């Protein structure tokens, strides 16, 4: 047997040895899908396929990084002498790559700006104001979501207008959409959806371009295929239609993104799309204990829209699932915090020092929602606090269905001196980071009016809104001479930054931007909060070191691309790249937890109407209910050793204190898998 196939089970080995033709790998949670894809790619290379002929596409930067590192390690071990590696990226990064190589055909320059979610909403809001459309009457974010959803279906403005007819809302959306597209073209910018839409349209409409990429990548691998939308599905099909060497990996039971266009039919119809496809089921779970897996199987088997499969494991039976009935959200949060201390105290042995504080570890300042140096609180405190953060914190995740639930949990983490991080606030979305990156983008793309507008008066240069209007209208001649000098100095600064980008390392460019722009001087003489912002920018320069090996501006391009496409999970990645990572308990929505695993997992808020979630004034379909069940399945399969479920009898939502019934999901799990935690439930309270 080949060395690289050791450690694979029968089904994994069968998938790894498959070479030609379409392949569907149905991989259950924790079934080793990344390992299987990695070994399949290595096997292709060992069978004579040039690494550069292989494409592997994932959904998150974290998954792409992990897969790339595993492939490189396996190539070094089992295919020595190979200098090149496969092209591994996310769908959006792949779109950027194709668009940059064909920018002129799309009326763009190489240095087009990628608008993030916030930039897109801001641009739409500005367009609405300029055209007399009240943002309070028509929510810019809602309009942005409608446009995004349509683009994800491979729908263009003309198609939308024709289909939706003359309804008031449709007319408003169409008008804004039209102006939005014109503004982006004027600014040489694209949004997230354009990265997929324009790249796919190019492949679809231009046979010559399509042939280039079909010949470039003869073997296509698509991870998390159940999460593909119409555009991603079409992109995958177009790239593989020539050779049909497409391998997709996915799990219908983990399809949880229909709200952003993911189409379950893509994986369910794979055999129809590729009649000669080989189907392999990976049902052995390597992550969770038998008890956790049994609960997961019981939950998901109630869904109808799924291929039949039953996960099993050779792991130990493990502990029973902890179930806590809380009085309210504060009691629930209190339980979570004290249980975390109890668990880690048990792991650490004599971890309690009897002191309420430890020597502060310098905060990494990677995320505004990271509380890494615990604080004291005047409210209830534990009898002691851990003497050091230790490794255990990073093995704990607290999951919830809706973002508002994090408030009570955060308060409890602070109250009990537990270092924590809330996923969802990205490092690259901090104002000071966006300001610094805007200087880089504006230097490369002066047409990006959004970036120019953001930084032309930061630090303050006395350039007001009226002046901005004249600048953007090319009417600078009517400005006072002193104002023209200020504006010319600003654009000269951008020119100097561009020269540095083309000649210096990325980390040096960041330092130059901060000094030359005046940001360093502005923040250094400011408040304590300003100093913290400056520290964050310094962290950006440190992060930029990994791009320093790329020459002639390519490093800055890559940094800007990665910053624009950063996901919720990237704050974890940035932490992990630090030599002195401070371990923290992770608080996140279930959606954000996809693809992650933890030793201990708390799933909170298991109440009817919250999880499964009910949308107000919207009729829930059978598919909606099945997705909620899939979401709970994803939540509990994040746990490796111990799972805790909790619900509250009372919860205050939008100022109203509601009485809740436990979630149906709890009763779907066999009672013998549970052990009751605590004694603060409603019945106990009433009878006391």
């Amino acid at each position: 047997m080949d060395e690289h196939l050791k450690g694979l089970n029968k089904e994994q080995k069968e998938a790894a040895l498959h070479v030609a033709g379409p392949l569907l790998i149905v991989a259950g949670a924790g079934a080793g899908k990344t390992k299987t894809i990695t070994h399949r790619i290595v096997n292709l290379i060992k069978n004579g396929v040039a690494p550069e002929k292989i494409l592997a596409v994932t959904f998150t930067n974290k998954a792409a990084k992990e897969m790339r590192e595993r492939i490189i390690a396996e190539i070094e071990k089992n295919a020595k002498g190979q200098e090149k590696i496969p092209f591994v990226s996310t769908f959006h990064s792949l779109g950027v790559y194709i668009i940059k190589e064909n920018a002129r055909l799309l009326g763009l320059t190489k240095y087009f700006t990628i608008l993030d979610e916030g930039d897109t909403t801001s641009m739409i809001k500005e367009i609405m104001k300029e055209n007399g459309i009240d943002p309070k009457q028509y929510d810019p974010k809602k309009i942005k979501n409608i446009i995004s959803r349509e683009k994800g279906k491979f729908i263009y403005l003309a198609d939308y207008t024709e289909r939706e007819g003359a309804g008031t809302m449709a007319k408003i959306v169409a008008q804004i959409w039209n102006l939005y597209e014109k503004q982006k073209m004027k600014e040489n910018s694209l949004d997230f959806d354009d990265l997929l839409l324009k790249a796919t349209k190019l492949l679809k409409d231009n046979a010559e371009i399509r042939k280039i990429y079909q010949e470039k990548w003869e073997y296509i691998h698509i991870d998390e295929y159940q999460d593909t939308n119409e555009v991603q599905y079409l992109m995958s099909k177009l790239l593989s239609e020539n050779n049909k060497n497409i391998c997709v990996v996915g799990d219908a039971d983990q399809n949880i993104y229909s709200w952003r266009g993911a189409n379950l039919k893509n994986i369910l119809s794979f055999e129809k799309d590729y009649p000669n496809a080989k189907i392999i089921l990976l049902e052995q779970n390597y992550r969770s204990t038998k008890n956790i897996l049994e609960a997961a199987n019981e939950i998901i088997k109630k869904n109808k829209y799924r291929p039949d499969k039953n996960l099993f494991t050779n792991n130990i039976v493990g502990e029973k699932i902890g179930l806590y009935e809380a009085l309210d959200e504060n009691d629930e949060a209190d339980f979570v915090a004290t249980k975390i201390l109890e668990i880690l105290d048990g792991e650490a042995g004599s971890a309690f020092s009897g002191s309420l504080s430890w020597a502060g570890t310098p905060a990494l300042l990677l995320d505004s929602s990271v509380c890494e140096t615990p604080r004291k609180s005047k409210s209830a405190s534990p009898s002691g606090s851990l003497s050091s953060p230790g490794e255990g914190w990073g093995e704990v995740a607290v999951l919830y269905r809706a973002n508002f639930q994090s408030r009570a949990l955060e308060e409890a983490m602070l109250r009990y001196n537990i270092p924590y991080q809330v996923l969802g606030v990205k490092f690259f979305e901090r104002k000071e980071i966006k300001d610094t990156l805007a200087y880089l983008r504006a230097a490369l793309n002066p047409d990006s009016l959004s970036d120019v507008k953001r930084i032309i008066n930061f630090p303050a240069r006395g350039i007001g809104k009226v002046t901005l209007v004249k600048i953007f209208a090319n009417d600078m001649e009517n400005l006072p001479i002193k104002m023209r000098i200020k504006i010319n100095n600003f654009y000269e600064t951008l020119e100097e930054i561009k020269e540095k980008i083309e000649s210096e390392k990325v980390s040096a460019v960041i330092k130059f931007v901060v000094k030359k722009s005046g940001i360093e001087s502005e923040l250094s003489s400011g408040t304590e909060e300003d100093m913290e912002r400056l520290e964050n920018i310094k962290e950006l320069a440190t992060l930029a070191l990994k791009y320093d090996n790329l020459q002639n501006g390519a490093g800055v391009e890559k940094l800007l691309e990665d910053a624009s496409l950063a996901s919720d999970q990237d704050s974890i990645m940035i932490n992990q790249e630090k030599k002195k990572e401070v371990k923290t308990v992770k608080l996140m929505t279930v959606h954000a937890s996809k693809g992650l695993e933890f030793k201990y997992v708390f799933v909170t808020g298991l109440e009817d109407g919250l999880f499964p979630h009910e949308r107000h004034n919207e009729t829930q379909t059978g598919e909606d209910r099945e997705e909620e069940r899939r979401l709970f399945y994803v939540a509990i399969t994040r746990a490796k050793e111990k799972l805790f479920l909790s619900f509250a009898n009372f919860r205050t939502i939008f100022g109203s204190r509601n009485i809740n019934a436990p979630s149906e999901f709890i009763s779907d799990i066999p009672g013998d898998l549970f052990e009751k935690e605590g004694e603060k439930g409603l019945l106990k309270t009433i009878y006391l």
Side-chain angles (χ1 to χ4, degrees):
M1 184 199 297
D2 285 341
E3 189 68 27
H4 75 283
L5 296 176
K6 283 184 178 178
L8 299 184
N9 64 35
K10 181 188 170 190
E11 290 74 24
Q12 289 173 331
K13 204 177 302 172
E14 188 180 357
L17 290 172
H18 183 273
V19 175
L23 171 66
L24 168 62
I25 303 173
V26 179
K33 66 182 176 65
T34 304
K35 180 180 181 180
T36 305
I37 299 174
T38 300
H39 285 281
R40 182 176 192 273
I41 289 172
V42 172
N43 189 64
L44 288 173
I45 295 169
K46 284 181 70 69
N47 277 276
V49 177
E52 63 271 25
K53 291 285 186 182
I54 301 170
L55 171 69
V57 186
T58 71
F59 270 81
T60 67
N61 297 322
K62 183 177 182 297
K65 180 176 181 286
E66 181 184 347
M67 188 179 293
R68 193 180 299 112
E69 289 173 349
R70 286 199 193 188
I71 289 170
I72 291 170
E74 288 297 328
I75 287 175
E76 288 175 352
K77 226 190 316 180
N78 300 295
K80 291 178 181 176
Q82 288 288 354
E83 293 183 2
K84 296 184 177 179
I85 64 168
F87 191 102
V88 183
S89 81
T90 63
F91 267 110
H92 287 91
S93 293
L94 176 61
V96 171
Y97 178 83
I98 293 172
I99 291 169
K100 279 193 174 180
E101 288 201 331
N102 302 278
R104 287 186 182 179
L105 289 174
L106 297 168
L108 298 163
T109 71
K110 180 185 176 184
Y111 297 122
F112 63 85
T113 295
I114 302 172
L115 303 174
D116 64 22
E117 299 282 346
D119 298 329
T120 300
T121 304
S122 296
M123 185 181 285
I124 288 174
K125 188 175 183 179
E126 198 66 33
I127 288 168
M128 292 172 70
K129 286 180 179 177
E130 288 172 3
N131 289 273
I133 302 170
D134 187 1
K136 291 180 181 176
Q137 185 177 359
Y138 299 100
D139 182 10
K141 193 169 183 180
K142 184 177 180 181
I143 290 173
K144 182 208 71 146
N145 290 340
I146 291 172
I147 295 171
S148 176
R149 188 170 64 243
E150 295 301 321
K151 285 183 176 181
K153 296 175 185 174
F154 204 66
I155 299 293
Y156 273 76
L157 174 58
D159 305 318
Y160 173 80
T161 306
E162 186 178 320
R163 190 194 69 203
E164 291 296 317
T168 304
M169 189 62 185
K171 277 185 175 179
I172 294 290
V173 171
Q175 181 188 354
I176 294 167
W177 190 345
N178 181 41
L179 294 168
Y180 172 57
E181 294 301 327
K182 287 179 179 176
Q183 186 65 26
K184 282 188 296 166
M185 187 57 67
K186 184 180 177 182
E187 295 195 15
N188 189 39
S189 64
L190 300 176
D191 62 29
F192 284 172
D193 301 300
D194 293 328
L195 301 179
L196 301 176
L197 187 66
K198 289 188 179 292
T200 303
K201 193 173 191 317
L202 194 63
L203 293 171
K204 184 174 183 288
D205 295 348
N206 193 315
E208 192 177 330
I209 297 291
R210 184 166 68 249
K211 186 180 178 185
I212 289 170
Y213 292 105
Q214 286 175 345
E215 290 178 354
K216 182 180 180 68
W217 298 308
E218 294 179 1
Y219 291 85
I220 314 291
H221 299 76
I222 310 293
D223 192 14
E224 304 286 10
Y225 194 65
Q226 79 280 350
D227 290 335
T228 52
N229 62 20
E230 194 62 33
V231 178
Q232 291 158 334
Y233 163 78
L234 184 56
M235 180 189 278
S236 308
K237 200 169 184 183
L238 289 167
L239 288 172
S240 62
E241 71 178 1
N242 214 23
N243 298 305
K244 297 289 193 296
N245 292 325
I246 180 170
C247 167
V248 305
V249 187
D251 181 9
D253 292 337
Q254 296 187 70
N255 171 263
I256 59 172
Y257 294 114
S258 67
W259 50 276
R260 69 182 189 198
N263 197 334
L264 190 56
K265 80 170 179 60
N266 293 346
I267 191 167
L268 297 178
S269 303
F270 187 80
E271 293 173 80
K272 185 179 176 183
D273 291 334
Y274 302 93
N276 299 320
K278 185 177 183 65
I279 317 294
I280 296 175
L281 263 65
L282 302 185
E283 296 177 293
Q284 184 171 355
N285 175 286
Y286 292 91
R287 177 187 298 155
S288 306
T289 63
K290 283 187 170 72
N291 277 338
I292 293 170
L293 212 55
E294 185 181 342
N297 284 331
E298 288 296 322
I299 285 294
I300 204 62
K301 74 180 185 183
K302 289 199 169 186
N303 276 3
K304 295 176 183 176
Y305 304 109
R306 62 183 292 265
D308 188 36
K309 74 173 188 302
N310 198 60
L311 292 185
F312 70 93
T313 184
N314 291 329
N315 292 341
I316 61 170
V317 173
E319 294 184 51
K320 291 191 174 185
I321 298 166
L323 178 63
Y324 184 71
E325 179 185 359
L327 180 61
D328 57 19
E329 67 268 27
N330 296 315
D331 180 27
E332 179 183 52
D334 199 71
F335 159 72
V336 171
T338 54
K339 182 56 71 170
I340 290 171
L341 290 176
E342 181 185 317
I343 291 168
L344 298 187
D345 179 37
E347 277 203 347
S350 57
F352 280 92
S353 65
S355 170
L356 280 177
S357 63
W358 58 63
T361 306
L364 293 180
L365 300 171
L366 293 175
D367 187 318
S368 61
S369 59
V370 178
C371 175
E372 290 161 332
T373 305
R375 316 169 201 172
K376 293 182 184 180
S377 170
K378 291 180 181 178
S379 54
S381 301
S383 58
S385 181
L386 293 181
S387 57
S388 66
E391 294 296 308
W393 302 122
E395 288 287 354
V396 182
V398 185
L399 310 183
Y400 37 84
R401 179 62 181 85
N403 278 304
F404 78 84
Q405 293 172 252
S406 72
R407 181 198 59 80
L409 292 163
E410 283 192 75
E411 287 179 359
M413 296 300 128
L414 290 170
R415 196 158 58 244
Y416 286 94
N417 290 348
I418 296 174
Y420 71 95
Q421 179 181 12
V422 181
L423 265 72
V425 180
K426 306 169 194 171
F427 172 62
F428 292 113
E429 284 186 355
R430 295 182 65 96
K431 180 187 180 299
E432 59 274 16
I433 301 301
K434 293 194 77 167
D435 289 340
T436 307
L437 295 179
Y439 271 96
L440 298 176
R441 284 200 299 267
L444 292 173
N445 179 20
D447 291 330
S448 179
L449 302 184
S450 299
D451 286 314
V452 171
K453 185 177 178 181
R454 181 180 189 98
I455 58 175
I456 197 167
N457 205 38
F458 179 76
R461 296 180 176 90
I463 301 173
K465 290 182 180 178
V466 175
T467 304
L468 269 177
V469 171
K470 291 188 176 182
I471 294 171
F472 294 162
N474 293 318
D475 189 23
M476 279 179 58
E477 290 181 7
N478 293 319
L479 290 171
I481 185 68
K482 286 185 178 179
M483 184 58 70
R484 273 185 275 168
I485 291 171
K486 288 180 183 179
I487 294 165
N488 286 334
N489 287 341
F490 169 73
Y491 278 101
E492 282 174 11
T493 297
L494 293 185
E495 196 58 43
E496 286 184 60
I497 292 171
K498 186 176 182 182
E499 289 173 10
K500 291 288 183 183
I501 288 172
E502 292 169 347
S503 60
E504 300 276 353
K505 292 181 177 180
V506 186
S507 55
V509 173
I510 300 287
K511 291 172 186 175
F512 177 79
V513 167
V514 178
K515 192 172 286 291
K516 182 68 181 177
S517 66
I519 291 175
E520 184 176 54
S521 176
E522 175 88 2
L523 297 180
S524 294
S525 56
T527 63
E528 188 177 329
E529 187 179 343
D530 287 335
M531 290 300 296
E532 184 178 314
R533 286 175 178 163
L534 186 58
E535 288 296 321
N536 288 335
I537 297 172
K538 289 179 180 178
E539 185 59 44
L540 177 64
T542 302
L543 183 66
L545 287 169
K546 71 176 184 178
Y547 300 93
D548 279 354
N549 62 319
L550 299 172
Q551 307 296 318
N552 305 320
V556 167
E557 280 188 71
K558 185 61 179 164
L559 169 64
L560 291 175
E561 179 189 326
D562 288 351
S564 297
L565 302 180
S567 68
D568 292 346
Q569 294 182 1
D570 288 331
S571 53
I572 293 180
M573 281 175 59
I574 293 170
N575 267 330
Q576 287 173 342
E577 287 171 3
K578 300 291 294 178
K579 289 181 181 177
K580 294 181 180 179
E581 179 193 354
V582 178
K583 299 287 187 180
T584 57
V585 171
K586 303 298 184 292
L587 273 59
M588 68 188 92
T589 63
V590 180
H591 282 102
S593 75
K594 180 81 178 296
L596 303 177
E597 59 181 40
F598 301 89
K599 200 171 182 180
Y600 308 104
V601 171
F602 293 80
V603 184
T604 61
L606 281 164
E607 295 129 38
D608 191 34
L610 181 56
F611 200 1
H613 196 64
E614 285 182 6
R615 299 173 185 86
H616 294 292
N617 303 320
E618 288 185 34
T619 305
Q620 257 193 331
T621 65
E623 288 186 18
D624 290 334
R625 286 188 286 273
E626 290 212 352
E627 179 150 340
E628 285 296 308
R629 189 170 287 276
R630 291 195 295 269
L631 194 56
F632 183 56
Y633 173 82
V634 166
I636 62 180
T637 54
R638 298 311 93 201
K640 294 194 282 187
E641 293 185 15
K642 180 70 177 182
L643 173 66
F644 297 93
L645 307 180
S646 62
F647 66 95
N649 290 295
F650 300 96
R651 189 176 297 272
T652 304
I653 302 177
F654 298 121
S656 299
R657 188 170 168 84
N658 303 321
I659 301 176
N660 309 305
S663 169
E664 64 185 81
F665 296 153
I666 293 174
S667 58
D668 288 340
I669 298 173
D672 61 353
L673 294 181
F674 285 120
E675 60 181 0
K676 191 174 180 182
E677 298 280 348
E679 294 183 328
K680 292 185 180 180
L682 178 62
L683 294 177
K684 179 83 175 173
T685 305
I686 290 172
Y687 286 108
L688 282 175

